[in-house]
Amino acid sequence: MTSAAPFVVRPAGTADVRRIHELLEPFVQKRILLGKDLVVLYGSVQQFVVAEADGEVIGCGALHVMWEDLGEIRTLIVHDEWLHHGVGRAIVETLEERARELGVSRLFCLTFEVDFFTRRGFSPIGEQVVDPDVYSQLVRSPDEGVAEFLDLAHVKPNTLGNTRMLKHL
């Protein structure tokens, strides 16, 4: 594979799920990202976009809507050979556009890649980023990403070393 070839970012389809899972697995082993079973990935495939070059998926990312004005960029992965070639930026820009189309005005991420997301306009956040009424609704969600956004105690082991960041679109 040559990283000089052009790439495209497109909505993911079910045929991409196994490759997304392959891209994710090394980061799960390093405890950088949470693992996702294939059934979970298939169930959320509509949230994903993939970057593709020469017919091969080289990166992915997902937009998960958490509330009427709030979404999360999650599972952002770029194959090592494609790092620093604009793939991650293109995926984030595509997800931001999808967020705007859906009416989302704030995007959250939980990341070790603080510099990357800072360059995309994200800023570190504290704990109080939603009002108490929204918090009382979000806390009911079974989604681990929502629990991470809320900084709930039971997900603290998942978030150690990560930075919670937010961007206003």
Side-chain angles (χ1 to χ4, degrees), residues 95-115:
L95 295 173
E96 287 178 359
E97 184 57 34
R98 290 178 93 182
R100 285 185 193 94
E101 290 169 1
L102 291 169
V104 170
S105 59
R106 297 182 301 161
L107 280 177
F108 166 75
C109 69
L110 180 69
T111 186
F112 288 107
E113 301 296 333
V114 175
D115 291 342

Side-chain angles (χ1 to χ4, degrees), residues 7-12 45-52 59-65 72-74 76 78 86-104 107 116-117 120 122 167 169:
F7 65 89
V8 297
V9 177
R10 61 169 176 76
V45 70
Q46 70 279 4
Q47 297 178 10
F48 278 85
V49 297
V50 293
E52 181 180 64
C60 64
L63 171 66
H64 179 77
V65 175
E72 179 186 7
I73 290 183
R74 53 172 64 169
L76 179 63
V78 175
V87 176
R89 181 182 67 238
I91 291 170
V92 170
E93 288 172 355
T94 301
L95 295 173
E96 287 178 359
E97 184 57 34
R98 290 178 93 182
R100 285 185 193 94
E101 290 169 1
L102 291 169
V104 170
L107 280 177
F116 172 84
F117 280 99
R120 311 274 89 68
F122 286 75
K167 177 178 182 173
L169 298 176

